[in-house]
């Protein structure tokens, strides 16, 4: 069975991207990362991907007049590698309907909250303000509505009494890596032993 082709979209350090790439390298995931695409040329994850020999591309949103043009350029890069799955991993742009429909059912996102709680930004600060005793992260299918698509997997992390948004974010992030790989196991082809 051929392995699934993944394209990973990032905007920053790319620790989730690296966790997925490592799971592909060790064979934990029967998949390969065909492209890491960033909307920022200064994204730290680009160098990490390159050091693993993963092809990278940069499509800077600021270089385009409209979101449609930006997303069309991303689609052109993606079509060259023909991914089975497009994984958002700290990709900090909201995707428009045209892009989401072009890749309908093939885009996953990791979001640092227990969705449907706290879609959007500043999830950890909002969880602390609400006095939540648990935080966490979700992997979900991307639909046109922000952070609202069907959830595939979640991980729960206890909130500590002295947590700040940063300490909570750090603890959640270290759980996100395993969560994304776990969710992907349900999606990518399973290797026949
Ligand atoms: C993660 O917390 C992810 O849930 C959110 O952005 C952060 C990205 O971190 N969408 P990294 O770039 O994968 O290290």
């Amino acid at each position: 069975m051929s392995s699934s082709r993944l394209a990973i979209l990032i905007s920053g350090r790319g620790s989730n991207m690296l966790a997925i790439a490592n799971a592909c390298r060790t064979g934990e995931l029967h998949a390969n990362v065909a492209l890491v695409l960033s909307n920022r040329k200064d994204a730290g994850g680009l160098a990490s991907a390159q050091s693993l020999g993963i092809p990278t591309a940069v499509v800077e949103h600021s270089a385009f007049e409209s979101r449609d043009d930006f997303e069309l350029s991303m689609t052109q890069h993606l079509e060259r590698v023909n991914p089975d799955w497009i994984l958002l991993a700290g990709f900090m742009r909201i995707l428009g309907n045209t892009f989401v429909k072009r890749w309908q059912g093939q885009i996953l996102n990791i979001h640092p909250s227990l969705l449907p709680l706290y879609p959007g930004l500043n999830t950890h600060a909002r969880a602390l303000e609400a006095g939540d005793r648990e935080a966490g992260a979700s992997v979900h299918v991307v639909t046109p509505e922000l952070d609202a698509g069907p959830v595939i997997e979640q991980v729960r992390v206890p909130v500590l009494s002295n947590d700040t948004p940063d300490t909570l974010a750090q603890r959640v992030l270290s759980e996100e890596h395993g969560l994304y790989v776990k969710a992907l196991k349900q999606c990518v082809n399973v290797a026949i032993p």
Side-chain angles (χ1 to χ4, degrees):
M1 190 178 284
S2 64
S3 74
S4 298
R5 298 168 68 75
L6 310 179
I8 307 182
L9 271 50
I10 65 169
S11 299
R13 88 199 128 189
S15 68
N16 279 291
M17 176 276 295
L18 273 181
I20 294 163
N22 282 328
C24 292
R25 286 203 315 164
T26 61
E28 188 182 359
L29 276 179
H30 193 52
N32 65 85
V33 184
L35 180 68
V36 168
L37 192 159
S38 172
N39 66 308
R40 298 182 58 107
K41 63 173 187 269
D42 59 354
L46 286 170
S48 315
Q50 284 156 9
S51 71
L52 295 177
I54 298 170
T56 60
V58 175
V59 179
E60 284 187 288
H61 61 275
S62 51
F64 295 87
E65 298 226 321
S66 70
R67 181 158 75 181
D68 276 354
D69 290 347
F70 162 59
E71 292 179 354
L72 179 61
S73 177
M74 287 204 297
T75 284
Q76 287 163 349
H77 280 271
L78 290 165
E79 282 174 343
R80 277 181 218 133
V81 298
N82 189 27
D84 297 302
W85 296 97
I86 296 171
L87 310 175
L88 310 185
F91 182 70
M92 300 304 285
R93 304 301 298 175
I94 292 174
L95 294 169
N97 282 352
T98 311
F99 185 88
V100 173
K101 285 197 175 132
R102 164 63 185 85
W103 301 101
Q104 193 165 15
Q106 290 177 267
I107 314 174
L108 304 181
N109 180 40
I110 187 157
H111 183 74
S113 79
L114 293 171
L115 290 172
L117 291 176
Y118 316 127
L121 297 175
N122 303 319
T123 54
H124 305 297
R126 287 154 74 197
L128 291 176
E129 262 162 43
D132 293 351
R133 303 179 64 175
E134 260 187 343
S138 311
V139 172
H140 68 95
V141 180
V142 171
T143 58
E145 198 186 336
L146 182 68
D147 299 328
V151 170
I152 297 176
E153 280 286 346
Q154 287 186 319
V155 65
R156 294 174 178 274
V157 174
V159 173
L160 305 180
S161 56
N162 57 351
D163 260 332
T164 65
D166 283 348
T167 60
L168 183 56
Q170 230 164 31
R171 281 205 325 285
V172 171
L173 182 67
S174 63
E175 296 298 325
E176 288 183 32
H177 302 152
L179 175 73
Y180 221 154
V181 171
K182 186 176 175 194
L184 281 169
K185 283 183 185 165
Q186 299 179 37
C187 304
V188 303
N189 296 337
V190 176
I192 298 164

